[in-house]
Amino acid sequence: MTRKKSIGIIVLIIAVAVAWYGYKEYTRTPKDLFHAKADFVLSSAQLLHEYETNDSSANNRYNGKIIEVTGNIKKVEKDEQNFYTIVLGDSLSLNTIRCSMDTAHQQDAAVLVQGSSATMRGACTGYNKDEMGLGADVILNRCAVINKKD
């Protein structure tokens, strides 16, 4: 009987450990990028130039990485669910960096104004290539405002 009890206790411990791990994974949230260390620190002009010259190489280098980018705010967009997207770029170019704000940092984006400059940190998720002359976009998600200048 003691051997059966030992096996039962071991099975119970394993079941509790698996349930705890499953619960932790199910309730896991993405980390706040405001406090994360950036893999790359660039100006908006540098990042756009790299994608314009060789987008596949830039995608291999930056996709899935945390990027801190500083540039001029071209536009502050707010959608119907009150989520902000900050568009960085040169006013003379159609190419931009689109920074979709993290839900925890929506209020930081609300105070930004077009024409000022800001430093944003976000996860690079790709590049929408310019196929029809309308401008290309580098996409950063879960962004946080690191610094703003008027």
Side-chain angles (χ1 to χ4, degrees), residues 29-36 82-86 98-110 120-123 140-145:
T29 57
K31 71 178 179 179
D32 186 357
L33 296 183
F34 184 81
H35 301 289
N82 294 325
F83 293 124
Y84 284 90
T85 299
I86 307 303
R98 298 186 62 79
C99 304
S100 297
M101 298 302 296
D102 189 310
T103 54
H105 298 284
Q106 293 294 320
Q107 295 307 313
D108 297 335
M120 310 293 289
R121 187 179 298 143
L140 299 182
N141 286 327
R142 297 185 4 247
C143 290
V145 178

Side-chain angles (χ1 to χ4, degrees), residues 27-142:
T27 58
R28 179 176 50 147
T29 57
K31 71 178 179 179
D32 186 357
L33 296 183
F34 184 81
H35 301 289
K37 182 181 183 303
D39 297 313
F40 297 97
V41 178
L42 303 159
S43 71
S44 60
Q46 289 172 314
L47 184 60
L48 287 170
H49 178 71
E50 285 194 45
Y51 271 100
E52 289 166 0
T53 55
N54 190 345
D55 62 291
S56 62
S57 171
N59 241 352
N60 288 336
R61 185 172 186 192
Y62 298 119
N63 209 10
K65 304 288 185 196
I66 298 172
I67 299 177
E68 188 171 305
V69 62
T70 302
N72 293 325
I73 299 173
K74 214 172 175 179
K75 193 185 305 183
V76 177
E77 298 175 349
K78 182 178 175 183
D79 67 11
E80 57 276 352
Q81 285 125 7
N82 294 325
F83 293 124
Y84 284 90
T85 299
I86 307 303
V87 182
L88 301 178
D90 182 11
S91 60
L92 302 176
S93 173
L94 294 176
N95 299 336
T96 62
I97 300 169
R98 298 186 62 79
C99 304
S100 297
M101 298 302 296
D102 189 310
T103 54
H105 298 284
Q106 293 294 320
Q107 295 307 313
D108 297 335
V111 299
L112 296 176
V113 292
Q114 182 177 338
S116 63
S117 68
T119 300
M120 310 293 289
R121 187 179 298 143
C124 183
T125 57
Y127 179 66
N128 293 335
K129 194 171 185 176
D130 181 13
E131 299 291 337
M132 299 172 47
L134 300 174
D137 299 316
V138 177
I139 308 298
L140 299 182
N141 286 327
R142 297 185 4 247

